[in-house]
Amino acid sequence: MPLLCQLTDPDGYRISDWNIAADPRDRDYWISLFDTFPNHIQTQIVRDGLDGDHFPARWSAFQREYESGMRLIRDKVERTGTLSTIELVRYRQMLLKKFDFPDPYRAIKRRENTAAARLYPQVIQRIDELPLEKRWPALFLGLLAGNMFDLGAPKTIDLFKRGQTDFFATLERIADQSWFIDHSAVLIDRLTNSSPWRQILFFVDNAGSDIVLGVLPLAREMARAGARVILAANAEPALNDITYPELNCLLDKLRNQDPQLADLLATDRLATVDTGNDTPLLDCTIITDACNTVAAASDLIVLEGMGRAIESNWHVPLKCDCWRIALLKDEAVVRWLGARLWQPVSRFDPA
């Protein structure tokens, strides 16, 4: 598959320049996080009925090969002093697929999509009742609140397990946070007063409250403001990220609750595309032709979530405008940035 056509320097593209082995704290943190991954999902797989035939044998074989591969990764780090998060996530995805556990979060995503869909009418009603000057800031905060549903970061995994990821409670907490980077005023000006974008390619992140209560209300408003908005989702599963097929299924259900959403979809002012990716990061070297066709006609690209906006592509310049928005939920990420946990990031880079 081709590279993303909007890269300023395609030959020099690197998914990330963060060497997580450079700081011993980061190295130990990330390796420990991936070392313990099988322990976190085994019970979940069985509970959700995703174990399938011959589960004990497959799981034992998966664990043995996973542990062996992690030892090789640690040895490589000792030899070279280099490691990236994309190496770790690709290794994890490869082993899950090999032993027929391609989507261990499938049932969780389905439950969270259903729960968020019940709140969707209430959220868009609140948004639609706001005057325009308050609507955009509320949508940005809603996007950040929804992004709390993240099963890749230990802090948010713990909150999810304790039932502390309520969307409206999170919205209130985020409203009081100081922002690490806040270019929201520039974005709001472009969306309301000056030169709006013709087409927006929006790389989405998680299922559940993230896509339903965060992304969709914002994308809906962007489309109502005159832009064509294309939501770009992973081709294949990765953690609790929503996939392209799941996104289309979800939109088919939500359009029945929201006539304006239904109209935007029917008139192609809101659409979807498959990115070709299968990790929680965004690798711009494996973009589908369909996604590249959309990218070529877009004058704004949105990178949502830590994985796509910060852990990958943080220093990657684009030929079009780019908006990176995420909630900082991981202690290693905030240490690398020099930020604090739970700070929002809203960074706008013009073409």
Side-chain angles (χ1 to χ4, degrees):
M1 283 187 282
L3 277 72
L4 180 69
C5 63
Q6 290 284 9
L7 293 172
T8 301
D9 179 18
D11 292 336
Y13 175 74
R14 294 174 62 195
I15 188 170
S16 175
D17 54 9
W18 181 16
N19 176 14
I20 59 176
D23 185 325
R25 293 174 299 173
D26 292 345
R27 177 198 62 210
D28 294 345
Y29 171 85
W30 286 106
I31 289 179
S32 174
L33 178 63
F34 279 79
D35 270 341
T36 57
F37 173 75
N39 300 334
H40 292 311
I41 65 164
Q42 182 179 7
T43 302
Q44 171 188 308
I45 287 173
V46 175
R47 181 196 63 211
D48 290 338
L50 303 174
D51 41 356
D53 296 335
H54 312 295
F55 173 74
R58 281 190 300 120
W59 185 257
S60 294
F62 166 75
Q63 281 189 304
R64 286 194 300 273
E65 187 163 339
Y66 188 91
E67 290 167 3
S68 174
M70 288 302 298
R71 284 194 295 272
L72 293 175
I73 287 172
R74 286 193 293 273
D75 291 344
K76 179 251 184 188
V77 172
E78 290 298 323
R79 291 194 315 272
T80 66
T82 62
L83 183 64
S84 66
T85 53
I86 190 65
E87 293 176 68
L88 291 168
V89 298
R90 281 176 176 157
Y91 174 71
R92 178 177 62 196
Q93 289 302 113
M94 179 190 70
L95 264 290
L96 287 170
K97 290 177 185 177
K98 179 176 180 179
F99 289 94
D100 199 23
F101 303 114
D103 193 4
Y105 296 84
R106 185 173 67 219
I108 290 177
K109 290 185 290 182
R110 188 180 298 123
R111 289 194 297 269
E112 292 300 312
N113 283 344
T114 299
R118 286 196 290 266
L119 295 177
Y120 177 78
Q122 181 182 352
V123 169
I124 59 170
Q125 181 180 353
R126 286 188 178 193
I127 292 297
D128 289 350
E129 290 174 351
L130 290 172
L132 194 58
E133 66 272 13
K134 293 183 178 180
R135 193 177 302 165
W136 290 111
L139 287 162
F140 292 177
L141 288 175
L143 183 64
L144 294 163
N147 194 234
M148 186 68 82
F149 177 51
D150 182 342
L151 299 183
K155 298 290 186 184
T156 46
I157 292 171
D158 184 57
L159 289 173
F160 178 74
K161 288 180 176 178
R162 290 190 279 124
Q164 295 181 352
T165 54
D166 175 78
F167 175 78
F168 294 112
T170 303
L171 195 58
E172 291 183 9
R173 290 197 301 272
I174 290 174
D176 295 329
Q177 286 286 342
S178 63
W179 292 49
F180 178 61
I181 298 174
D182 184 8
H183 296 162
S184 300
V186 177
L187 288 148
I188 293 171
D189 179 67
R190 286 289 301 272
L191 286 162
T192 58
N193 299 319
S194 55
S195 302
W197 293 281
R198 299 183 308 278
Q199 181 162 291
I200 300 169
L201 177 58
F202 199 128
F203 287 92
V204 302
D205 191 2
N206 305 300
S209 60
D210 193 345
I211 186 70
V212 177
L213 307 180
V215 171
L216 283 178
L218 175 59
R220 173 181 181 268
E221 192 66 27
M222 286 173 157
R224 293 200 301 179
R228 181 173 184 249
V229 183
I230 297 89
L231 305 176
N234 272 7
E236 297 182 28
L239 295 176
N240 64 309
D241 290 9
I242 195 160
T243 65
Y244 175 69
E246 290 168 340
L247 177 58
N248 287 329
C249 181
L250 180 64
L251 288 171
D252 282 342
K253 294 176 181 177
L254 291 175
R255 71 197 306 163
N256 296 323
Q257 302 182 44
D258 180 2
Q260 293 197 40
L261 178 66
D263 179 62
L264 293 172
L265 291 167
T267 56
D268 203 38
R269 285 177 288 163
L270 183 63
T272 62
V273 72
D274 168 359
T275 67
N277 273 236
D278 64 350
T279 77
L281 283 66
L282 176 63
D283 185 348
C284 292
T285 68
I286 49 172
I287 299 297
T288 61
D289 290 335
C291 189
N292 247 340
T293 298
V294 171
S298 298
D299 44 2
L300 174 65
I301 286 179
V302 181
L303 303 177
E304 186 229 352
M306 287 192 306
R308 290 163 184 79
I310 298 172
E311 293 174 60
S312 62
N313 303 301
W314 182 243
H315 293 127
V316 174
L318 299 181
K319 292 187 284 187
C320 65
D321 293 347
C322 182
W323 180 31
R324 294 167 174 87
I325 182 158
L327 186 65
L328 298 177
K329 301 156 291 192
D330 186 276
E331 62 184 69
V333 172
V334 299
R335 188 162 53 238
W336 180 59
L337 288 178
R340 296 194 307 275
L341 273 174
W342 314 124
Q343 283 190 300
V345 172
S346 176
R347 176 183 142 195
F348 176 68
D349 296 296

